[in-house]
Amino acid sequence: MFDLIVIIRVSEGANIDPVADALSRMRPLCLAEDGCVSWEAYQSHQDPHRFVLVEHWASRADWEAHDSGDAIQKIYIPEIMPHIEREVHPSMRVHRPHEGVTE
């Protein structure tokens, strides 16, 4: 499993709704891609400029192939990237010793 957290900050308030709409349109495209286990976008209640993407991919190779898909090429790059700053964090779930790892 390859997990990814992406933190997005929309620079101008006028771009918040268009970015939210674009992220919403990306979801079904991402979920249809090979290896996409789940893909969710969240918007902060406290700071509407901030979005967090939580992605789970079957493998890093599947995530890397995602770059050439329609979600990235037709929506993310042209509609979102010009209006944001972002942090990309390949991540792993934190498990406590008493938790069984079933993933």
Side-chain angles (χ1 to χ4, degrees):
M1 182 77 73
F2 181 77
D3 300 324
L4 187 74
I5 307 294
V6 180
I7 302 168
I8 294 173
R9 171 114 175 107
V10 178
S11 37
E12 295 182 22
N15 294 321
I16 292 172
D17 287 342
V19 166
D21 177 68
L23 289 169
S24 178
R25 288 183 286 118
M26 281 182 65
R27 186 172 189 272
L29 298 175
C30 292
L31 290 172
E33 292 181 30
D34 288 340
C36 184
V37 176
S38 69
W39 191 99
E40 299 292 340
Y42 298 88
Q43 184 177 15
S44 171
H45 286 290
Q46 290 183 321
D47 180 2
H49 290 258
R50 188 167 311 278
F51 294 82
V52 176
L53 309 182
V54 179
E55 305 178 32
H56 301 285
W57 295 88
S59 70
R60 185 178 185 107
D62 289 322
W63 171 68
E64 289 172 354
H66 166 64
D67 277 350
S68 62
D70 285 350
I72 297 296
Q73 295 301 315
K74 294 183 178 179
I75 299 174
Y76 195 77
I77 291 173
E79 296 183 38
I80 297 174
M81 287 293 290
H83 308 293
I84 66 167
E85 297 170 7
R86 70 183 182 144
E87 298 175 31
V88 178
H89 300 275
S91 303
M92 64 182 183
R93 183 173 169 222
V94 175
H95 296 279
R96 295 193 172 157
H98 65 277
E99 289 182 322
V101 179
T102 59
E103 298 174 18

